[in-house]
């Protein structure tokens, strides 16, 4: 809470918000001296643990980003396209049956979902490009910071669009259980 952040600041305590922010403190000179003095860990063991934990953070986010891209490309985009086709066919059938009948609902949904699916595709490409940028990071800490500051926010942007699309796509077209189904039908 914001109250805790202010209290921590008042006390002079650190407010480390992520793994990437916290891990470098593990291998700070002060902590290395403390752990080695009391023979808890050697300096090389501390550096090894830092590397293992940072690599685990990077690998986990990489797997999550790749999984997200696979879900979007193989499941969500095809579902949206199928639903758009069904909406379009419905509108065309209504117009053929009764030319004076309004198809505003279908047209609005098609327009909104088309716009959102374009944003979804754009954000998926953005995430793919961001993942390629990991290779340009020199150190393990730089890779962790890149995942924290570039990959994770890009994943959040992609997720926001997918979540909005989920609210508009018909249940029978959506490839995953909805939150309501998970809460009440499991």
């Amino acid at each position: 809470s914001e109250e805790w952040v202010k209290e921590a600041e008042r006390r002079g305590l650190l407010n480390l918000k992520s793994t990437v922010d916290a891990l470098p403190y593990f291998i700070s000179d002060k902590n290395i001296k403390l752990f080695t003095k009391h023979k808890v860990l050697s300096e090389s063991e501390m550096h090894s643990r830092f590397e293992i934990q940072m690599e685990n953070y990077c690998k986990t986010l990489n797997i999550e980003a790749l999984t997200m891209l696979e879900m979007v490309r193989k499941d969500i985009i095809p579902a949206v396209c199928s639903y758009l086709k069904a909406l379009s066919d419905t509108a065309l059938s209504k117009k053929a049956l009764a030319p004076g009948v309004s198809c505003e609902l279908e047209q609005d949904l098609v327009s909104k979902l088309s716009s959102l699916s374009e944003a979804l595709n754009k954000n998926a490409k953005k995430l793919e490009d961001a993942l390629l940028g990991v290779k340009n990071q020199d150190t393990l800490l730089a890779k962790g910071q890149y995942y924290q500051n570039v990959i994770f926010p890009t994943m959040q942007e992609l997720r926001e669009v997918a979540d909005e699309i989920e609210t508009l796509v018909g249940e029978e077209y959506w490839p995953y259980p909805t939150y309501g189904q998970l809460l009440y039908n499991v």
Side-chain angles (χ1 to χ4, degrees):
S1 73
E2 189 60 36
E3 181 181 312
W4 163 246
V5 172
K6 290 177 183 175
E7 179 64 20
E9 188 177 316
R10 186 185 69 74
R11 293 183 188 184
L13 300 174
L14 294 173
N15 184 23
L16 305 172
K17 296 181 180 186
S18 74
T19 300
V20 175
D21 294 336
L23 282 176
Y25 284 96
F26 184 68
I27 56 172
S28 68
D29 290 338
K30 175 183 167 185
N31 288 326
I32 289 174
K33 286 177 187 173
L34 176 70
F35 278 72
T36 56
K37 176 184 174 184
H38 294 289
K39 296 183 180 12
V40 175
L41 294 171
S42 69
E43 184 173 350
S44 62
E45 289 172 323
M46 292 182 74
H47 283 279
S48 292
R49 286 180 184 225
F50 165 81
E51 289 176 16
I52 290 167
Q53 291 178 359
M54 189 63 79
E55 283 178 3
N56 186 43
Y57 175 84
C58 293
K59 286 179 183 179
T60 300
L61 268 179
N62 188 59
I63 290 167
E64 288 179 1
L66 292 173
T67 301
M68 178 180 262
L69 285 170
E70 185 174 332
M71 291 170 73
V72 166
R73 297 270 187 239
K74 292 185 177 180
D75 297 325
I76 295 174
I77 289 176
V80 172
C81 289
S82 294
Y83 189 57
L84 284 169
K85 181 181 181 337
L87 286 171
S88 300
D89 290 348
T90 300
L92 291 173
S93 296
K94 283 171 71 174
K95 284 288 184 189
L97 181 64
V101 170
S102 172
C103 296
E104 190 174 335
L105 170 67
E106 291 86 354
Q107 290 171 335
D108 287 349
L109 279 170
V110 166
S111 177
K112 180 136 180 131
L113 281 170
S114 293
S115 175
L116 287 169
S117 61
E118 286 178 26
L120 187 73
N121 188 50
K122 178 181 155 199
N123 287 347
K125 286 179 183 177
K126 185 177 173 183
L127 181 56
E128 286 173 342
D129 292 343
L131 283 168
L132 294 174
V134 172
K135 295 175 185 172
N136 299 330
Q137 307 309 308
D138 299 350
T139 65
L140 190 53
L141 179 59
K143 284 182 182 181
Q145 291 168 335
Y146 185 82
Y147 274 103
Q148 176 188 19
N149 299 322
V150 177
I151 301 295
F152 189 69
T154 305
M155 290 171 66
Q156 288 176 316
E157 290 173 17
L158 182 58
R159 168 91 191 255
E160 286 174 13
V161 176
D163 285 348
E164 188 172 350
I165 288 173
E166 180 182 4
T167 64
L168 298 173
V169 172
E171 188 175 307
E172 65 274 11
Y173 292 90
W174 194 250
Y176 305 111
T178 63
Y179 294 120
Q181 290 170 330
L182 289 173
L183 286 172
Y184 302 111
N185 296 334
V186 174

